[in-house]
Amino acid sequence: MKKTITMLSLLLITSLGFQSCKNGEGDASSSEIENTDIVPSGTYTGEAIKVDPEEQEVYLKTDDDKTLELYFTDQTKLSKDGETVAFNTLSEGQTLQVEVEKKGKRLDPISVEIVE
């Protein structure tokens, strides 16, 4: 009987510990946008709804209401008015035209043009 009570207590404590960790993750990732879309390789236009300079990441809401999560790579070309610009030029609310390449469940931005 003592073993059963001890095992149940350990399960309860472990369960509470996992729940605490899960809640902490939720707070830390609250800035992440859930339910993004994977689209075929191609060119898309939309609004930058979130820009994360630390992650070199942009979320784009396309004209057909899809949300694309784009992590810039070393090969991503970012431009405005035909000139190459730095990532910190990006801001939320800008209209972007992006060329992406689908790689599995990931979209790699090949080029990003700040339209306005």
Side-chain angles (χ1 to χ4, degrees):
M1 182 68 170
K2 275 186 167 182
K3 285 184 179 179
T4 303
I5 291 173
T6 301
M7 289 298 287
L8 287 173
S9 296
L10 285 173
L11 280 172
L12 179 62
I13 291 169
T14 303
S15 174
L16 290 173
F18 281 126
Q19 186 63 35
S20 294
C21 290
K22 185 177 178 183
N23 289 340
E25 286 177 10
D27 293 340
S29 64
S30 63
S31 62
E32 289 280 326
I33 295 176
E34 303 290 331
N35 301 322
T36 57
D37 297 290
I38 302 294
V39 294
S41 297
T43 302
Y44 299 87
T45 302
E47 178 183 349
I49 57 172
K50 180 174 175 12
V51 177
D52 185 346
E54 288 184 22
E55 299 288 333
Q56 296 278 300
E57 176 184 31
V58 174
Y59 288 90
L60 181 77
K61 187 70 142 184
T62 65
D63 294 340
D64 59 349
D65 205 31
K66 297 195 182 303
T67 303
L68 309 184
E69 181 178 22
L70 306 170
Y71 283 97
F72 279 46
T73 68
D74 292 339
Q75 286 75 42
T76 302
K77 296 177 183 173
L78 175 61
S79 61
K80 180 178 182 179
D81 299 327
E83 302 284 327
T84 299
V85 295
F87 187 89
N88 63 8
T89 307
L90 287 170
S91 63
E92 294 173 6
Q94 289 176 320
T95 300
L96 307 177
Q97 183 175 41
V98 300
E99 180 183 4
V100 297
E101 180 178 6
K102 181 182 174 194
K103 290 187 175 179
K105 293 185 176 183
R106 187 182 77 208
L107 295 173
D108 285 349
I110 298 168
S111 65
V112 177
E113 171 76 22
I114 300 172
V115 177
E116 60 180 66

